[in-house]
Amino acid sequence: MDIHASREEEAAKLVGLLLDTKDLLPYYSKPDTECIIRVNNLTNGRLVVYNAYKQLAISKSGEAFTTVKLISSFVKVPIVQLPTDQEVAESDEYEMIKSFPHTHDSVMDILNHVFKLKCFRSHQREIIELILSKTDSITVMPTGRGKTLCFLLPGYITVGTSVIIAPFNSLIMDLKKRCKQLDLPVASINQYTTAEELEGILHNLYSKEPEIKFLIMTPESLQKPCISECLKDISQRGLLPYIFIDEVHCLADTSQEFRPDYLKLENIKSEFTNCTIAAFTATATRGTISIIKDKLKLDDPVLTKIPCIRDNIELRAMKFSKIDELLNYLKQYLFQNHKTDCGIIYCPTPEMVKTVAFRLENGMNGAFTVAQYSGKRMDEEDKHNNLQSWLSGKIKILVATKAAG
């Protein structure tokens, strides 16, 4: 059926009224039987999905009449026509999804009993339902909004082993720890994985029914032939439902922390054809999102961009002409505001990490324990030990580059 109108909502309402005349539109009092109306905007390529209901209304003269109530449930925009950050923040139109056909009580049961949570955070359920619908996606989700659950819940529900690709060992350890806390079968592969451990993981995956539900690895690990061949095998058997790519903005990163193996993920869709790809990042510009889409070659991906409005974060820009001025400010700030807290001080380069860590440790009279964490130039064992000490609370301050995650 083709209906031409000046606005998407107007076209949807016309369809709804037509369905109502044929008694095909359910009443609003039965929200579980809503009618789904999809509107394709031929001018700008947008797809808008509405949940439509028949609703009785009263006119000013007191007469009853039938109208059509529309609730925008899904908005898909072409990547080349992304909304600006201001448009996203000012409109809830891009806060996709109010309802999906996959939404059912079992999802809430799993949330309550497996993940020990009473409710979803804002947008979590919508993103999870999108993944469960087997749709490739790119999600820009600010830190602290519950990205981990968007990995774990779909992977738990769906048969097979889900792969999570993360750039930093700190992120891999955090994810693995979370899975173990929830009694979810998990394995990880990175430079610390021994040959015996890797053999055990591959043996499990090659079995008829792999027990591992989540396999977390770095992009470098995925490039190893023994691992990629194993994943191709379980993909062909229909046992690789999802590949989650965390920190996917690394595809467009050209800094000194650049990870060339992220670029090799551009073949991931062709290598694992039966798999749904869900890419996540906390921050990405319009240009970065376009690069991600082009490099991953996803199947018409859906973009979800959640506004980054955080009342509990304070941003303050300060200029220091000398490193001594910066260090004196840090000492004073830590003593006055965070004397008993743990925290991270991020630096732009490994050289500055060394300088700040050394000067803080030797200039605070033992009030704070300090450790370093930076990129490839630092010994891997030292990095691992320092991160573990910070996570356990033995170290109060971690001075790090973004390699710490």
Side-chain angles (χ1 to χ4, degrees):
M1 179 192 306
D2 291 331
I3 290 184
H4 299 274
S6 58
R7 294 188 305 117
E8 295 147 354
E9 186 174 357
E10 181 182 340
K13 186 156 288 191
L14 288 171
V15 173
L17 289 171
L18 180 60
L19 293 173
D20 180 41
T21 61
K22 298 182 178 296
D23 292 326
L24 296 175
L25 191 67
Y27 284 95
Y28 185 52
S29 60
K30 298 178 181 178
D32 57 326
T33 55
E34 74 272 11
C35 179
I36 306 298
I37 298 176
R38 292 174 172 82
V39 178
N40 284 294
N41 190 320
L42 300 180
T43 302
N44 58 24
R46 285 161 46 106
L47 167 67
V48 184
V49 179
Y50 296 94
N51 290 340
Y53 307 94
K54 178 178 179 179
Q55 187 175 41
L56 296 179
I58 306 296
S59 67
K60 292 181 179 180
S61 61
E63 296 180 356
F65 66 97
T66 297
T67 184
V68 175
K69 180 178 179 64
L70 298 172
I71 298 179
S72 176
S73 61
F74 179 78
V75 178
K76 180 179 178 182
V77 295
I79 297 293
V80 295
Q81 297 176 1
L82 294 177
T84 64
D85 290 340
Q86 183 176 357
E87 289 172 334
V88 171
E90 293 176 352
S91 171
D92 61 2
E93 181 180 35
Y94 299 102
E95 297 177 4
M96 350 178 347
I97 325 166
K98 303 294 182 185
S99 173
F100 261 92
H102 286 27
T103 300
H104 44 68
D105 291 340
S106 64
V107 173
M108 287 304 301
D109 289 340
I110 291 169
L111 181 75
N112 300 154
H113 297 106
V114 177
F115 293 94
K116 315 301 181 186
L117 298 171
K118 294 181 179 179
C119 61
F120 288 102
R121 294 181 187 177
S122 176
H123 303 286
Q124 276 184 323
R125 182 167 189 161
E126 294 86 354
I127 294 167
I128 288 168
E129 296 294 347
L130 177 65
I131 294 168
L132 289 171
S133 70
K134 306 295 184 181
T135 302
D136 287 346
S137 60
I138 300 171
T139 299
V140 182
M141 174 182 276
T143 302
R145 290 291 183 90
K147 176 176 57 178
T148 300
L149 186 67
C150 297
F151 301 160
L152 301 185
L153 199 150
Y156 179 84
I157 289 178
T158 310
V159 174
T161 302
S162 294
V163 169
I164 303 173
I165 297 174
F168 308 127
N169 291 320
S170 56
L171 296 177
I172 291 175
M173 286 189 288
D174 283 345
L175 279 168
K176 189 174 182 179
K177 180 180 179 182
R178 179 61 176 154
C179 287
K180 288 187 173 181
Q181 289 172 341
L182 296 168
D183 292 325
L184 302 178
V186 62
S188 63
I189 302 175
N190 55 23
Q191 63 264 48
Y192 303 119
T193 306
T194 65
E196 291 77 14
E197 289 171 336
L198 179 58
E199 183 180 356
I201 292 170
L202 297 179
H203 179 75
N204 188 301
L205 294 176
Y206 274 120
S207 65
K208 185 177 180 180
E209 296 181 1
E211 295 177 357
I212 297 172
K213 286 297 291 179
F214 297 98
L215 179 62
I216 313 170
M217 67 177 71
T218 60
E220 288 81 5
S221 298
L222 183 63
Q223 304 310 317
K224 295 181 179 179
C226 63
I227 297 172
S228 61
E229 290 302 319
C230 179
L231 294 181
K232 288 177 185 177
D233 175 80
I234 64 172
S235 175
Q236 292 169 358
R237 291 188 284 142
L239 296 176
L240 181 62
Y242 310 113
I243 294 179
F244 299 99
I245 305 176
D246 196 10
E247 308 293 346
V248 73
H249 61 270
C250 291
L251 277 167
D253 189 358
T254 56
S255 69
Q256 59 179 312
E257 298 287 350
F258 175 63
R259 302 286 290 275
D261 282 283
Y262 255 94
L263 290 180
K264 297 177 183 179
L265 296 178
E266 62 185 6
N267 298 320
I268 199 167
K269 191 63 183 180
S270 59
E271 291 179 355
F272 308 105
T273 54
N274 299 325
C275 183
T276 299
I277 308 296
F280 286 79
T281 180
T283 56
T285 64
R286 300 174 73 187
T288 299
I289 294 172
S290 296
I291 291 173
I292 292 168
K293 175 182 178 290
D294 292 341
K295 290 189 179 298
L296 289 180
K297 303 179 180 69
L298 301 181
D299 292 338
D300 202 16
V302 170
L303 168 71
T304 308
K305 191 170 184 181
I306 300 171
C308 185
I309 301 174
R310 303 290 295 277
D311 295 332
N312 62 333
I313 292 180
E314 177 186 355
L315 297 177
R316 186 186 305 172
M318 305 181 71
K319 186 176 181 179
F320 300 94
S321 58
K322 297 181 179 179
I323 186 69
D324 288 339
E325 293 179 9
L326 168 62
L327 290 167
N328 287 334
Y329 170 79
L330 283 175
K331 293 175 188 177
Q332 184 179 6
Y333 176 77
L334 291 170
F335 270 118
Q336 291 180 353
N337 301 282
H338 299 284
K339 197 168 183 178
T340 61
D341 298 332
C342 288
I344 301 180
I345 297 175
Y346 285 100
C347 298
T349 65
E351 290 77 14
M352 192 169 183
V353 166
K354 290 181 180 180
T355 300
V356 171
F358 178 79
R359 297 281 293 275
L360 282 180
E361 190 170 27
N362 290 276
M364 302 186 75
N365 299 320
F368 293 91
T369 48
V370 182
Q372 302 177 36
Y373 193 103
S374 58
K376 297 178 180 178
R377 301 178 190 179
M378 187 174 175
D379 181 76
E380 290 295 335
E381 186 175 354
D382 288 342
K383 282 199 299 184
H384 178 74
N385 292 337
N386 288 353
L387 183 61
Q388 288 297 326
S389 296
W390 181 75
L391 290 171
S392 67
K394 294 179 182 179
I395 297 293
K396 290 295 184 182
I397 298 176
L398 191 67
V399 184
T401 63
K402 63 182 180 180

